[in-house]
Amino acid sequence: MTSDASRRRTALVTLTAILRCDPAAPWPDDPDGWVALLDLAAAHALVPALWSAWVAAGRPVLPEAAAAAVERTAPSGRGVPEIVLRRAYAANAARTDRLLDTGVEVLERLRAAGIPAVPLKGLHALLTGVWPDPAARTMADLDVLVPHAAADDAFALLRAGSFSEHPEPIGEHAD
């Protein structure tokens, strides 16, 4: 019997090998291995990246109609790993597209108001095409740097538009 610690350790080794695109990456071959891998990937917002790695590794991909049929017939609470990865990727692709559109709008509003702004982190990566597959990277917010002296004006400008302040930090690293 495999211990929880051993399953987590195996999941970590597996996840890192898969995301490094190691051709010998040991994809799970049992339900417990998949649960551990998906739990670890979800805890670090890496499930969409697993789908990208799945496709890049040439793993079998069900046609969308077949995936939808399998998904409809799966018992409640049960998921097919390929479909779980695919759905997480699709949701993240839509979110990434929305964030990119919003980031461009924010930068344009700031530019039009004469406020210098520099896109950082994920927004910068999206705008410059750093990621071969932008939807493999999970984003939850947009980071834009403005001069300290213009921060209040930038905040007021965005609040006067269609933007609102998020009441709580989005994650442990948000500030």
Side-chain angles (χ1 to χ4, degrees):
M1 182 165 176
T2 307
S3 72
D4 286 343
S6 176
R7 252 190 304 282
R8 286 191 302 272
R9 185 172 39 259
T10 299
L12 179 60
V13 168
T14 299
L15 181 62
T16 56
I18 289 169
L19 295 179
R20 281 193 319 263
C21 297
D22 179 346
W27 289 84
D29 59 2
D30 65 283
D32 288 341
W34 273 109
V35 168
L37 178 64
L38 291 172
D39 283 350
L40 179 62
H44 296 281
L46 293 170
V47 178
L50 275 178
W51 174 254
S52 288
W54 178 284
V55 172
R59 301 207 34 107
V61 175
L62 287 172
E64 180 55 38
V70 170
E71 192 173 36
R72 278 193 310 275
T73 60
S76 179
R78 300 281 178 136
V80 176
E82 176 204 339
I83 297 169
V84 170
L85 298 177
R86 179 191 302 225
R87 296 298 180 244
Y89 178 87
N92 194 56
R95 180 178 42 253
T96 300
D97 287 345
R98 285 190 310 272
L99 283 168
L100 177 57
D101 290 345
T102 301
V104 168
E105 180 183 351
V106 165
L107 293 170
E108 176 54 31
R109 285 180 185 224
L110 293 169
R111 187 203 58 74
I115 299 172
V118 177
L120 301 174
K121 298 169 35 181
L123 180 56
H124 172 75
L126 287 176
L127 292 169
T128 59
V130 168
W131 283 78
D133 180 359
R137 184 186 193 280
T138 302
M139 292 176 55
D141 64 355
L142 298 170
D143 298 290
V144 177
L145 180 66
V146 298
H148 184 272
D152 289 339
D153 291 339
F155 182 75
L157 174 75
L158 295 175
R159 287 295 303 263
S162 61
F163 299 94
S164 59
E165 182 177 10
H166 197 281
E168 298 292 327
I170 294 170
E172 64 181 291
H173 304 294
D175 55 23

